[in-house]
Amino acid sequence: MSIGHAPNTTKVRRTMNARRRGLSVAAAAALALIEWIVVVKLAGIPLTIEEMYAGASREVGWAAVIVTAVGSGLAAWLLLAVLERFTAKGPRIWVVTAVAALLLSVSGPLSAASTIGVQVALILMHVSVAAVLIAGFTDRRQPTM
């Protein structure tokens, strides 16, 4: 009878975290795209923003929504990985930073959106992407706050 080796729990946890976080990034982007489809295609509201320095307006397209959500998710993942590597309070610091980043990101739609409806739609996209990432990146077995 041979005795097998127990799996390395640290390696298993890293793999599970990576899988969960990758799926969270994909889910955040998918949710933002669904919201864009509902607002632009179904409700017929063009997501027009005013560029502050150029004085021109442009529409937020589906590609910009996906790229922004994925880029934000990957940047958030990188920051969390660095914090986890160098401090025991990494997840707690990351959650506080993520909420602060969300609050800062909302200033964009508040200042650049052309109408109240566009402001609401863009703010909802920001909040939903942040909520998916925060929920997906945090380990529910360890309290963060």
Side-chain angles (χ1 to χ4, degrees), residues 13-72:
R13 176 176 249 163
R14 280 189 197 143
T15 301
M16 289 173 54
N17 282 344
R19 184 174 298 133
R20 186 178 72 243
R21 291 171 183 172
L23 289 172
S24 297
V25 171
L31 179 58
L33 179 60
I34 290 168
E35 290 171 332
W36 182 89
I37 290 169
V38 168
V39 170
V40 174
K41 297 298 182 185
L42 298 179
I45 301 170
L47 293 180
T48 306
I49 58 170
E50 305 292 329
E51 295 186 13
M52 280 192 250
Y53 302 109
S57 63
R58 67 178 180 93
E59 284 194 36
V60 177
W62 64 269
V65 169
I66 293 172
V67 168
T68 302
V70 170
S72 299

Side-chain angles (χ1 to χ4, degrees), residues 18 21-26 28 66-82 94 129 133 137:
R21 291 171 183 172
L23 289 172
S24 297
V25 171
I66 293 172
V67 168
T68 302
V70 170
S72 299
L74 294 176
W77 190 352
L78 175 64
L79 176 62
L80 178 56
V82 168
W94 182 84
V129 167
L133 294 175
F137 283 13

Side-chain angles (χ1 to χ4, degrees), residues 58-131:
R58 67 178 180 93
E59 284 194 36
V60 177
W62 64 269
V65 169
I66 293 172
V67 168
T68 302
V70 170
S72 299
L74 294 176
W77 190 352
L78 175 64
L79 176 62
L80 178 56
V82 168
L83 289 170
E84 286 176 333
R85 175 110 172 124
F86 293 109
T87 178
K89 293 184 180 184
R92 179 178 297 174
I93 294 168
W94 182 84
V95 169
V96 171
T97 305
V99 171
L102 169 62
L103 294 174
L104 286 173
S105 79
V106 168
S107 68
L110 287 175
S111 64
S114 59
T115 66
I116 298 293
V118 173
Q119 285 180 342
V120 170
L122 291 173
I123 289 169
L124 286 175
M125 283 184 191
H126 283 237
V127 170
S128 63
V129 167

